[in-house]
Amino acid sequence: MQSNFVDYVKINCRAGHGGAGSASLHREKYIDKGGPDGGDGGRGGNITLLGNSNLWTLLEFRFKRHFRAQNGGRGGKSRSTGADGEDIILEVPIGTIAKDEEGNIIGEVTENGQELIIAQGGKGGLGNWHFRSATRQTPRYAQPGLDGDERQVTLELKILADVGLVGFPNAGKSTLLSAVSAAKPKIADYAFTTLTPNLGIVEYRNHQSFIMADIPGIIEGAAEGKGLGHRFLRHIERNSNLLFLIPADTEDYKKEYEILLNELKKFNPELLDKERILAISKSDMLDDELEAEIKAQLPTDIDTIFISSVSGKGITELKDLLWKKLHE
């Protein structure tokens, strides 16, 4: 079964061509040699992305990938301008990036209601009215309309969230998300149970909240395409804070953290500039002595906390710490 979450599609776009200008000459009873009165052609239709905060996937574009906007109308007599071609509006989730065939960024949609033209309609041609002069009083020619853009556009969705969960498969990311929000991600005792990012709204005090994203598990070599590869690493780019999860039964905590950090660095060094918190999950199995031993092994340049999504240990303190980081 295919997932409803689609974060990468290619679409073919052809904006409308501009309408031709008119080469009309004025004809009216009792008016001899009325002169040029050809109107301009109409603009070709644009193809435009429109941000919609209620959408969370590019699934719609899996089934329809070719979009053709309407051409502009021809100019008419009496200097009448042709009708503009009808635009095509494509609604996309917040966080959608549009790229051309060379991989150059056309633009990105980061706000609800934001519009981004990805294929520009052609300009309408000028009518012969514009070409009259003292020495050329009856021009019998007009401009043709310009062609609209025709291009293949790649749409990439990068999830926008306040907190992104980073960790190896089975680190407890999905369990944490289900414990602190109403999200119901798939949870099982095997690697890569999360195959698509999941979002949850974490309720905080006084009816305040923030968004947490469960990013599919990273393994060593993910930046080179191992495991699920870097397909989901790009979602981490749009998270304000990163919450690293390492389970309490890990053999080497510092090494696992450094591997995760290194994969992010290889994918995009700027990710290391984000605020980070390290949580030791599944810590309900630890006593005070073991917890102290583990704490001594952890890096000192990052805030650390011991949590258990099952027993609730440290969850309130984790929310407080995340809220503080988000509003510093």
Side-chain angles (χ1 to χ4, degrees), residues 23-35:
S24 169
L25 297 175
H26 185 71
R27 293 289 183 266
E28 190 175 343
K29 192 174 182 180
Y30 305 123
I31 297 180
D32 186 36
K33 297 180 181 178

Side-chain angles (χ1 to χ4, degrees), residues 168-231:
F168 281 81
N170 279 357
K173 301 187 301 299
S174 298
T175 306
L176 174 61
L177 185 65
S178 64
V180 299
S181 74
K184 301 300 179 187
K186 184 177 180 181
I187 300 171
D189 191 22
Y190 57 86
F192 299 121
T193 52
T194 302
L195 298 178
T196 60
N198 293 299
L199 288 178
I201 298 176
V202 181
E203 297 292 339
Y204 193 60
R205 300 190 184 104
N206 302 321
H207 306 290
Q208 296 171 312
S209 63
F210 56 90
I211 299 175
M212 181 178 286
D214 171 19
I215 309 298
I218 300 171
I219 66 169
E220 189 171 9
E224 285 82 38
K226 291 184 180 179
L228 295 177
H230 56 257
R231 176 182 171 190

Side-chain angles (χ1 to χ4, degrees), residues 116-322:
L116 172 66
I117 295 175
I118 57 174
Q120 184 84 47
K123 185 179 179 181
L126 297 177
N128 64 345
W129 163 261
H130 293 276
F131 302 108
R132 71 196 189 287
S133 67
T135 57
R136 187 173 54 212
Q137 297 182 0
T138 56
R140 288 176 167 80
Y141 55 86
Q143 284 183 336
L146 298 179
D147 290 343
D149 293 336
E150 185 166 0
R151 67 199 332 184
Q152 185 178 75
V153 177
T154 299
L155 300 181
E156 291 184 8
L157 173 60
K158 294 184 181 180
I159 285 181
L160 291 166
D162 299 306
V163 179
L165 300 179
V166 180
F168 281 81
N170 279 357
K173 301 187 301 299
S174 298
T175 306
L176 174 61
L177 185 65
S178 64
V180 299
S181 74
K184 301 300 179 187
K186 184 177 180 181
I187 300 171
D189 191 22
Y190 57 86
F192 299 121
T193 52
T194 302
L195 298 178
T196 60
N198 293 299
L199 288 178
I201 298 176
V202 181
E203 297 292 339
Y204 193 60
R205 300 190 184 104
N206 302 321
H207 306 290
Q208 296 171 312
S209 63
F210 56 90
I211 299 175
M212 181 178 286
D214 171 19
I215 309 298
I218 300 171
I219 66 169
E220 189 171 9
E224 285 82 38
K226 291 184 180 179
L228 295 177
H230 56 257
R231 176 182 171 190
F232 296 114
L233 280 172
R234 67 173 176 270
H235 292 296
I236 299 174
E237 292 180 311
R238 288 291 179 81
N239 300 159
S240 302
N241 288 251
L242 302 180
L243 175 58
F244 288 73
L245 254 65
I246 296 177
D249 54 0
T250 297
E251 293 183 3
D252 191 329
Y253 304 92
K254 188 175 182 180
K255 180 181 179 182
E256 186 162 319
Y257 172 69
E258 289 175 349
I259 290 173
L260 292 170
L261 211 57
N262 190 48
E263 290 304 320
L264 299 188
K265 181 180 179 181
K266 286 191 289 185
F267 179 72
N268 182 353
E270 293 181 5
L271 292 176
L272 302 190
D273 296 331
K274 294 181 180 292
E275 287 286 343
R276 304 192 298 272
I277 296 173
L278 174 59
I280 304 301
S281 61
K282 307 178 185 179
S283 63
D284 52 309
M285 64 178 71
L286 303 175
D287 57 26
D288 292 341
E289 185 178 347
L290 278 173
E291 192 170 300
E293 288 181 13
I294 294 172
K295 198 165 187 178
Q297 302 175 38
L298 300 177
T300 57
D301 61 342
I302 182 173
D303 289 320
T304 59
I305 188 169
F306 289 79
I307 65 169
S308 170
S309 303
V310 176
S311 69
K313 173 184 176 180
I315 297 299
T316 300
E317 292 79 1
L318 176 62
K319 287 184 181 181
D320 289 340
L321 183 55
L322 289 170

Side-chain angles (χ1 to χ4, degrees), residues 66-129:
H66 296 269
F67 299 93
R68 301 287 182 267
Q70 188 179 36
N71 294 333
R74 296 178 64 89
K77 61 183 180 180
S78 301
R79 295 168 57 187
S80 59
T81 302
D84 289 340
E86 187 175 350
D87 295 338
I88 290 180
I89 305 295
L90 306 177
E91 294 191 356
V92 296
I94 308 303
T96 299
I97 297 176
K99 296 181 178 180
D100 62 20
E101 294 177 74
E102 286 74 41
N104 301 312
I105 295 178
I106 301 170
E108 50 189 311
V109 179
T110 56
E111 297 178 3
N112 187 52
Q114 178 187 343
E115 295 187 357
L116 172 66
I117 295 175
I118 57 174
Q120 184 84 47
K123 185 179 179 181
L126 297 177
N128 64 345
W129 163 261

